[in-house]
Amino acid sequence: MLYKNLYGKKFRLRSWEKQDLSSLVKYADNPNIAKNMTDMFPHPYLKTDGMAFIEFANASHSAHIFAIEVDGEAAGGIGIHPEHGIHRRNAELGYWLGQPFWGQGIISRAIRQVLNFAFLNDNEIGRIFARPFGSNTASQKVLEKNGFVLEARLEKTLVKNGELEDELIYALRKEKFYSSIHDLLMI
């Protein structure tokens, strides 16, 4: 891993640790978070799920997965997942934050930090994308605030909790990130 810690206002991005298990379960076991995540993010979120995730996040191939630490606790997660093969110039951004910390600007600043980390440390990555559900307007707004543009809306292609959801594809190009970094850092 190239960095163990990235700092932002009110939070720190760092590697996941085994000691994070109780706070991970405490914040992840929330239906308001799970409803906006893929089915790989379980609900209820149990200790066994947390142990498996921490192990996965610390595997050598997962160097871009960070805990979002707030007030000394792992209160969320954020990661950049590089694609392979013909898609190797792309990486997917994924994130979540414990509900008590919503609306404080933490996730927006964490996204900015992890974008800078990814673009600086992986020369292959030229485009980072995220796929929020059509119903997740908060995630759409935070992506737009960070310079992402909507590339596609795939209507009723996802099934979450028995409901059809639109899949949105937001993306940010490396050139655009660095041409607007000054403006983004001022937010």
Side-chain angles (χ1 to χ4, degrees):
M1 174 177 245
L2 296 171
Y3 288 127
K4 281 206 161 271
N5 297 290
L6 299 172
Y7 291 89
K9 186 179 178 184
K10 296 185 182 178
F11 70 92
R12 172 171 79 126
L13 301 183
R14 60 165 174 78
S15 301
W16 283 95
E17 301 168 356
K18 289 181 181 173
Q19 306 89 284
D20 294 327
L21 180 60
S22 62
S23 62
L24 169 58
V25 173
K26 174 174 129 180
Y27 293 114
D29 188 27
N30 182 329
N32 292 322
I33 292 171
K35 74 178 184 183
N36 292 310
M37 306 291 284
T38 69
D39 289 345
M40 290 188 65
F41 191 99
H43 184 73
Y45 200 100
L46 307 173
K47 283 188 175 185
T48 53
D49 301 313
M51 287 185 293
F53 173 76
I54 291 170
E55 188 175 301
F56 170 77
N58 284 308
S60 62
H61 66 277
S62 299
H64 296 32
I65 299 175
F66 298 97
I68 302 172
E69 181 183 299
V70 182
D71 298 331
E73 288 187 302
I78 189 164
I80 295 285
H81 306 275
E83 301 282 301
H84 304 283
I86 63 171
H87 300 285
R88 67 184 167 272
R89 301 257 316 133
N90 300 278
E92 185 170 8
L93 169 68
Y95 52 88
W96 69 274
L97 183 64
Q99 192 168 356
F101 306 103
W102 292 359
Q104 298 179 33
I106 293 170
I107 204 67
S108 185
R109 291 180 185 276
I111 288 171
R112 207 165 306 131
Q113 290 283 341
V114 87
L115 290 172
N116 192 48
F117 167 84
F119 285 137
L120 280 176
N121 292 291
D122 192 329
N123 291 329
E124 285 269 14
I125 297 174
R127 174 181 168 268
I128 295 177
F129 67 95
R131 299 179 303 158
F133 298 154
S135 61
N136 189 350
T137 56
S139 191
Q140 295 165 44
K141 287 177 184 175
V142 79
L143 290 168
E144 291 167 358
K145 183 177 180 179
N146 277 285
F148 282 74
V149 295
L150 180 63
E151 290 187 339
R153 174 184 291 270
L154 307 173
E155 293 184 17
K156 310 291 184 212
T157 57
L158 305 175
V159 179
K160 182 66 180 183
N161 297 326
E163 300 287 326
L164 289 173
E165 282 272 2
D166 291 354
E167 177 182 9
L168 307 183
I169 302 172
Y170 277 86
L172 177 65
R173 308 273 172 173
K174 186 178 198 172
E175 304 80 36
K176 183 167 187 234
F177 178 73
Y178 285 116
S179 70
S180 62
I181 188 75
H182 180 268
D183 294 336
L184 288 172
L185 292 173
M186 302 318 284
I187 295 173

